[in-house]
Amino acid sequence: MNKSLEEILMEGVADSQAEFIPVVTDEEDVLVTESNDGDELPLIPLRNMVLFPGVVLPVSVGRTKTLRLIRSAFNNNEEILVATQKDARKEEPELNDLYETGTIAKIIRILEMPDNTTTVILQGKKRADILELTKTTPFLHAKVQMRDDILPDAENEIFRALVEAVKDVALKIVKLGVVPSEATFAVRNIEPPRILVNFICTNFSLKVVDKVKLLLIDDLAQRGTILLDLLTKELQLLEIKANIQSKARSGIDQQQREFFLQQQMKTIQDELGGGDVEQELDEFRERAKAKKWDERVRKVFEKELRRLERTNPHSPDYSVQLNYVETILNLPWNEYTEDNFDLKRAQKVLDKDHFGLDDIKDRILEHLAVLKLQKKFKSPIICLYGPPGVGKTSLGKSIADTLNRKYARISLGGLQDEAEIRGHRRTYIGALPGRIIQNIKKVASSNPVFVLDEIDKVNRDFKGDPASALLEVLDPEQNSAFHDNYLDLDYDLSNVLFIATANNLSGISKPLLDRMELIEVTGYVVEEKIEIAQKHLVPKQLDAHGLKKSDLSLSKTVIRDLIESYTRESGVRELDRVIAKVVRKIAKKVAMEELYKRTLSVKDVRDLIGIPRYSKDKYQGNEYVGVVTGIAWTSVGGEILFIEASLSKGKEKKLTLTGNLGDVMKESAVLALEYIKSHAAELGVNEDDINEHNVHIHVPEGAIPKDGPSAGITMVTALVSALKKCRVRKGIAMTGEITLRGKVLPVGGIREKILAAKRAGITEIVLCEDNKKDIDEIKQDYLKGVVFHYVKDIKDVLQVALEK
């Protein structure tokens, strides 16, 4: 070599921060040792290093015993033994912790480094076996037995070719950059084959176990052969790795270069305090561990999360993918709230929140009872229908409180897009899950009470039919696998208690009606409204306006006047607004410290909120023939109406109908006249009067549309009264449909009609015998003061209604 060992070591001292490269001499006299078989030599255990004879190796020393050893051996010019540990973590190795063969070495120099560490330069001399450890203090001593190398003949062509092959492979490895480039100079200039082989064994990146196996081989030719095999495998792996890296580099296109630049920008932004995408993804994985989803959903989530990881955060697709992953993660898969099966408590909660509505309360208690006895029970789909303001929507909230479930509600009024129910596909810009899945995610429970408000007001247009999309939601046999287009996964809705509300069933499709359990919520009678006002509405408004209970008192008489003079409804929504108006007036007086009466009279209320808006439906008497009182059902409850019939002479002999009547009422009028013509003798009507007069039937308040079959018997009675010039008995009203044969048919809305009749002061009501079952369902307290006449034929009606 051109440089002496001393010069190389001095370079190491001059640049103490540089990595030491093991060096050798090109003279074999360094392999001569002064030690003999059976000598006891100080022992240095090495971690992850193997020293071969003829190689100079720098070793960083940290153990206290080892520091004592090197200083003692260096000062006494003694040779030492170095052996490799089997486990580098062992701090106090014993004989079993060391490989049995080591190398006798000479300490060339001890260097004190600037970072307060100590490095010792060792030069290998000869291989030796460890027979036993003789001392452990102050440092290790071992008895050794020398091992000689078996050298091939210097003229052996095969061995020379082997050494050249080893040298060529070693140089190729150096070129690939795994070994420091300075090693090229040493490999090319080392002449002795034994030292060259040992140098490569020490310096190249072979496994420690492989280096120890090479150290154990006595035959130099065999050591070189195994070394060549190991180097060749290492070279092949390095070439494959370099080839892959080369292909990867050549495959980088413009988009990937932009991605790397964006990643650098992201790193800069993170340093400046930006968001950490990796942290967010790790948070998703942690949250996913706590989810109770099944294997199918878990696989989809992991797949979509991996896709999110591969997506560029600055790409428009990233936010779309992120929203989808968050949607899956935020849904309460198989997470349920525990139902409260205390039926007595449930009864108290329902009675406290709502007055009356006994049928609905019983149905909810039945549902609770079944759930208590049978845990796995498909929730029914309940549809509450009735006039507005009777508490259908608020019932859903009370049911949720009763069951101890979460409460969700969506308003379907005016809904036109099917995607509002099923969601949009993710391919669309701004895609979202349907409102069913959105509310499930919002309440974080898979078994809430879900109110579908105004289901009869769903519209249909070119975007699809939302009512058809609801068929799957509201079918207990199908909704266990509800498919949302955005989620693209089946979601179990079978544990959700759906409660639909509607004002009119005629607006709901037949297939949808078939899937729901219909419960009618009828209007309230005056007595019920008074109770509701005193127990719920007045306390609520006092609290809402900052007043105490002692600040205002409304008697039943005052509330009755508010109901009859300021509202016209089946429910109590308008009554609530009227009471709020009264309370606001009092709140103003309290705030301005004005004097006022704490107990209001009817006159006081009218002075506060003005003259009545409605006049009470009053029976107009029986002073005129041809005037009959009928009872009708409207969307805001029942009301009375008057049907007037008159005769006038004329040549045309026609039937005239006025009063903004619908087709059904017009047909009833024609039917009534034809029945009278065909049964004139039986009814005691002069047939000539019918043939010689024009007939005019009028229903007052013509600006209000009127239709329905309930006025059939009323029109017959009015015509007979006019033809016979016989008045209708005082205080009587009627409802019912007729046939051409004179049969009286039942009609609906009986409860509301009876309430309207009572408000108007009617004392007798005529209706079909088949409607008796509707009367039996009404509380007897609400029927006091009214006599019912059940009829089968129109002749029975006339006999009851007309004066003798």
Side-chain angles (χ1 to χ4, degrees), residues 95-115:
L95 182 60
N96 293 333
D97 300 321
L98 302 171
Y99 289 105
E100 63 272 16
T101 299
T103 304
I104 296 173
K106 185 76 174 179
I107 299 176
I108 303 298
R109 192 157 189 176
I110 300 175
L111 303 175
E112 299 295 340
M113 310 304 288
D115 57 355

Side-chain angles (χ1 to χ4, degrees), residues 595-657:
L595 294 176
Y596 69 96
K597 294 181 180 179
R598 283 176 168 76
T599 302
L600 300 179
S601 65
V602 172
K603 182 178 181 304
D604 297 330
V605 170
R606 296 192 175 187
D607 291 339
L608 286 173
I609 62 176
I611 60 175
R613 295 174 55 191
Y614 303 104
S615 59
K616 181 180 176 182
D617 288 335
K618 293 183 178 179
Y619 174 64
Q620 296 181 359
N622 64 335
E623 290 81 6
Y624 303 97
V625 298
V627 179
V628 182
T629 306
I631 324 172
W633 179 92
T634 67
S635 60
V636 295
E639 63 179 22
I640 64 171
L641 53 82
F642 302 97
I643 294 180
E644 302 172 349
S646 65
L647 304 176
S648 60
K649 287 190 177 183
K651 297 180 180 180
E652 297 182 6
K653 303 176 182 59
K654 63 180 180 179
L655 172 65
T656 303
L657 303 173

Side-chain angles (χ1 to χ4, degrees), residues 133-327:
L133 294 180
T134 57
K135 293 181 183 178
T136 57
T137 55
F139 37 78
L140 295 174
H141 283 73
K143 185 182 288 187
V144 299
Q145 182 176 352
M146 302 300 161
R147 294 187 69 154
D148 294 322
D149 288 340
I150 302 173
L151 302 177
D153 186 2
E155 302 298 327
N156 190 327
E157 294 294 333
I158 297 177
F159 180 68
R160 288 172 60 186
L162 174 64
V163 174
E164 288 299 321
V166 170
K167 185 184 290 187
D168 290 342
V169 176
L171 290 173
K172 290 180 180 178
I173 292 176
V174 174
K175 284 183 179 180
L176 290 173
V178 179
V179 180
S181 58
E182 291 86 348
T184 305
F185 180 78
V187 172
R188 285 178 176 169
N189 290 279
I190 295 174
E191 299 254 345
R194 179 163 46 157
I195 295 177
L196 176 63
V197 170
N198 288 347
F199 173 78
I200 294 174
C201 288
T202 303
N203 197 46
F204 280 66
S205 56
L206 302 175
K207 294 180 180 178
V208 174
V209 177
D210 293 334
K211 291 183 177 182
V212 172
K213 289 180 181 177
L214 291 170
L215 186 65
L216 292 173
I217 299 172
D218 296 331
D219 189 343
L220 186 61
Q222 184 182 357
R223 188 187 303 169
T225 302
I226 296 176
L227 175 62
L228 178 61
D229 182 57
L230 292 172
L231 290 176
T232 303
K233 291 179 179 177
E234 181 70 16
L235 178 62
Q236 290 174 347
L237 289 173
L238 292 172
E239 286 176 341
I240 293 172
K241 181 179 177 182
N243 188 31
I244 293 173
Q245 290 175 341
S246 175
K247 288 181 179 179
R249 282 194 298 271
S250 63
I252 296 177
D253 55 12
Q254 181 65 26
Q255 182 179 356
Q256 288 171 307
R257 284 196 292 273
E258 289 178 0
F259 171 71
F260 289 132
L261 290 173
Q262 288 167 348
Q263 286 296 102
Q264 291 176 353
M265 291 175 60
K266 172 184 165 296
T267 303
I268 294 171
Q269 290 172 350
D270 291 344
E271 291 296 328
L272 294 174
D276 189 355
V277 175
E278 290 298 326
Q279 184 178 354
E280 188 174 35
L281 295 176
D282 292 339
E283 182 185 344
F284 286 167
R285 291 189 183 92
E286 288 299 318
R287 290 174 58 192
K289 293 178 181 177
K291 302 300 287 185
K292 299 179 182 178
W293 48 36
D294 53 32
E295 188 67 16
R296 172 182 54 88
V297 180
R298 184 186 64 79
K299 288 181 178 178
V300 171
F301 174 78
E302 291 177 351
K303 175 184 174 183
E304 297 297 335
L305 188 61
R306 288 194 298 269
R307 182 180 296 175
L308 179 64
E309 286 181 304
R310 296 192 301 269
T311 306
N312 180 2
H314 298 276
S315 168
D317 294 334
Y318 183 81
S319 60
V320 175
Q321 187 68 14
L322 178 64
N323 289 337
Y324 180 66
V325 170
E326 286 184 328
T327 299

